[in-house]
Amino acid sequence: MCYSAVIKHSQQTKTLHFFVVKLVFEFSTMEPNRVRFVENKTLLVTGASGFLGKVFVERILRLQPNVKRLYLLVRATDKKSAEQRLHSEVFEKDLFRVLRKNIGDESLNALISEKVVPVPGDISLNNMGVSDSNLLQDMMQEINFVFHAAATTRFDERYDVALGINTFGALNVLNFAKKCVNLQLLLHVSTAYVCGERSGVIQEKPFAMGETLNGKTKVDINTEMNLVEQKLKTLVEQGCSEEETKHAMKDLGMKRAKLYGWPDPYVFTKAMGEMFLGEYRKNIPIVIIRPTMITSTFLDPFPGWIEGVRTVDSVVVAYGKGVLKCFLVDQTVACDIIPVDMVANAMIVTAAEHFHDSGSHTVYHVASSYQNPIVYKQIYEVSVRYFMESPLLSRSGMPIVPKATVFLSTMAMFRLYTSLNFKLPLQVLKLLSITFPSQFGNKYERHNRKFKMAMRLVKIYEPYLLFKGVFEDRNLETLRIKNEAKEMQDLSGFNLKCIDWEDYFMNTHIPGLVTHVLNK
């Protein structure tokens, strides 16, 4: 039965289905102690349609069906479109197949109808863009926990967009949380890479307001917004096109980020968002989760689920397709990755730990490089082995046999290599296109466009590909040990030491990429 049809069912039918759901869970051993704190509680989740957000929502619904209510805020114009978006982008996903199998389609739809409230909004606006005054009042009266995962994660995002969502979005969520009369905690998902390009061991420290990475004059966040508004006004006065405005905003973001020591506007605006939370939190307990590069599920709800090509996956997929000729990376450094289910579990456990700590402000790295690192060379070697045993097929149905990739550990070496092997041949092709335009004109334009795009992406990703920092995760490890002492169950859910990375890539992650992303 479809979701929309269930919504139209009688209240009696919904109650029956929901009663079945409760029975299934009450007589199962699935529910760990760590999710009991949200029993009969109301949660607000922003970014529920994102990769991490939907994993977190699935986990709550499956392990704690006695949660009172889930307000899920998504960017949408009205409640109907928000409901449709959640339906198509969250609840219909294969991610929910375990829960669907456990309780059945009708009971799952009844659970969603009973517990989930779609909230159309926009975190870059006051009151998170929620225009329904009745809905807003209900939320303020009911919400106990705020889990803020909404963000724009493009490294080269327009500065106005990144500042609006990642920085002032965090402030808008905090200001809304302050209006919630029964609020017990706000958890904010940031990124470990707010540290910039630091090397060595990176500690779990909050940002002070205005703090910069290069020790220059403090950053004034309101001045940054005024700068953006003035720049946009100037661009309008100059009659710039939308495309010209987009590029100008991207350039401004890069310039401002680098001025204060950050490599791009993504991590710069995320850092400023953290500053707002620390400065204006008052007595609200704040937890900041800083994950590294998030990958497919390790175990829960099943191994290998992933959505889209993420971070290191672009290299793995490119190699499997036989198109990874060369790559900028230091193969000896750690590729700090973390399975998405472990990040979701960390969100749950840290919230359970701090919701009663009035005024607390705690940062957690969710990372692997400190306790259980894997280096890029290992990932490449596993990828070679995997695609040798299970090659992708070309359009003609023939197995693709990838050639060895040339890895270059500095940008200077990469530029020299690409100049000799790509740029020089392109110049020859350019001369041919001028001499024989009908035969070579389109080829040169196409290959030159691809080359420029590749070089632009390499420049953007350079700080992360050559990153030499190690993220200390003592806070999470201390919490894990504390919970083990309490004999809490299912704690492998965020125990990084249990991961055999080569086995994970060979038997979980790459097969998950092939199945869920490449649809092979």
Side-chain angles (χ1 to χ4, degrees), residues 98-148:
V98 171
L99 182 53
R100 189 173 288 109
K101 181 180 178 182
N102 286 344
I103 66 177
D105 284 339
E106 291 193 6
S107 293
L108 174 59
N109 289 333
L111 177 66
I112 293 167
S113 179
E114 181 81 17
K115 300 295 183 179
V116 172
V117 179
V119 181
D122 181 345
I123 62 165
S124 67
L125 303 175
N126 185 41
N127 282 329
M128 305 182 302
V130 180
S131 57
D132 184 330
S133 58
N134 292 328
L135 175 61
L136 202 60
Q137 285 302 315
D138 288 344
M139 293 168 68
M140 290 175 182
Q141 292 297 318
E142 297 177 16
I143 289 171
N144 306 112
F145 296 91
V146 175
F147 292 88
H148 176 40

Side-chain angles (χ1 to χ4, degrees), residues 465-478:
L465 298 171
L466 303 179
F467 184 79
K468 290 180 170 57
V470 173
F471 295 103
E472 179 184 78
D473 61 344
R474 289 185 182 177
N475 287 346
L476 197 60
E477 178 65 6
T478 299

Side-chain angles (χ1 to χ4, degrees), residues 377-438:
K377 185 178 180 181
Q378 290 173 276
I379 296 174
Y380 176 67
E381 289 172 348
V382 174
S383 300
V384 170
R385 194 162 77 246
Y386 178 86
F387 289 111
M388 188 180 294
E389 295 178 11
S390 307
L392 297 177
L393 300 180
S394 66
R395 291 180 180 178
S396 62
M398 297 297 292
I400 297 172
V401 182
K403 294 181 180 179
T405 302
V406 176
F407 290 99
L408 302 134
S409 59
T410 68
M411 195 63 181
M413 291 172 62
F414 184 81
R415 285 198 183 101
L416 177 61
Y417 182 88
T418 53
S419 292
L420 293 173
N421 291 273
F422 297 99
K423 199 169 184 178
L424 191 59
L426 266 175
Q427 294 306 311
V428 174
L429 187 58
K430 183 179 181 180
L431 289 173
L432 289 171
S433 71
I434 294 171
T435 309
F436 307 102
S438 61

